[in-house]
Amino acid sequence: MVCLGNICRSPLAEGLLQHKVDKLGLDVKVDSAGTASYHTGEHPDSRMIKTTANHGIDISSQMAQQFDSEHFNEFDRIYAMDKSNMQDILDLANSDNDRNKVELLLNASHPGQDRSVPDPWYGGEQGFEDVYHLVDAACEKISNSLNDE
Ligand code: 4NP
């Protein structure tokens, strides 16, 4: 799961997908990163931690890292939160195999629509709640498709 800062959207996506695969008993490695390094080593934004905790999921111990090309070797699927993140990820790809791993997260729940997860960082509390529900729906589809594999 990849966003810009790795302190709002992608930590939420990591926490939600991890929670869902755990519930299904699937052995899947889930992680998140940011395309930028501004927040490397920080825990998620306190507003995102609070919103996620209100839904029973604890993301407080996650720590931000920057996405790098090694992640293409570690993961089978790489989900970008928005089109700008997706382009930055693709710029680090070394092969068609790498490029084929990258998809916009919301295409899992809204196929073919190329929607972006809005960045809640600059806005109010409601933005975090809205993003929670968008990301939850996408992670539900992903965990169900992993369960069918
Ligand atoms: P995120 O949100 O990409 O969802 O983690 C942001 C967090 C921090 C910044 C931008 C977006 N920033 O510019 O520091």
Side-chain angles (χ1 to χ4, degrees):
M1 298 299 185
V2 184
C3 63
L4 176 62
N6 194 207
I7 56 167
C8 293
R9 293 166 294 174
S10 61
L12 167 67
E14 176 188 337
L16 272 167
L17 186 60
Q18 187 72 64
H19 180 77
K20 290 173 191 295
V21 297
D22 286 349
K23 253 193 346 197
L24 290 166
L26 303 176
D27 184 17
V28 176
K29 180 160 113 179
V30 183
D31 203 352
S32 65
T35 55
S37 62
Y38 327 123
H39 296 283
T40 294
E42 293 178 19
H43 294 296
D45 185 285
S46 57
R47 297 164 295 175
M48 195 75 259
I49 291 174
K50 186 169 159 224
T51 300
T52 311
N54 288 342
H55 292 276
I57 296 171
D58 179 11
I59 61 166
S60 63
S61 60
Q62 289 186 31
M63 249 207 252
Q65 63 172 333
Q66 187 171 22
F67 183 83
D68 68 53
S69 58
E70 269 306 303
H71 289 116
F72 285 110
N73 302 325
E74 265 186 76
F75 294 92
D76 299 319
R77 301 184 187 180
I78 295 166
Y79 292 101
M81 299 299 124
D82 65 35
K83 288 178 198 160
S84 163
N85 308 146
M86 182 146 170
Q87 191 53 57
D88 289 339
I89 297 164
L90 290 172
D91 287 346
L92 293 171
N94 289 311
S95 65
D96 283 343
N97 189 44
D98 287 354
R99 277 181 278 279
N100 289 336
K101 293 181 176 186
V102 189
E103 176 61 287
L104 281 171
L105 177 73
L106 293 187
N107 277 347
S109 49
H110 301 79
Q113 293 186 24
D114 290 343
R115 287 180 62 174
S116 289
V117 179
D119 193 337
W121 197 60
Y122 306 95
E125 298 257 327
Q126 188 58 43
F128 285 82
E129 185 65 22
D130 293 346
V131 160
Y132 179 92
H133 292 286
L134 271 177
V135 173
D136 184 48
C139 289
E140 185 72 17
K141 292 279 188 192
I142 293 167
S143 61
N144 286 336
S145 83
L146 289 168
N147 198 31
D148 290 341
E149 276 182 11

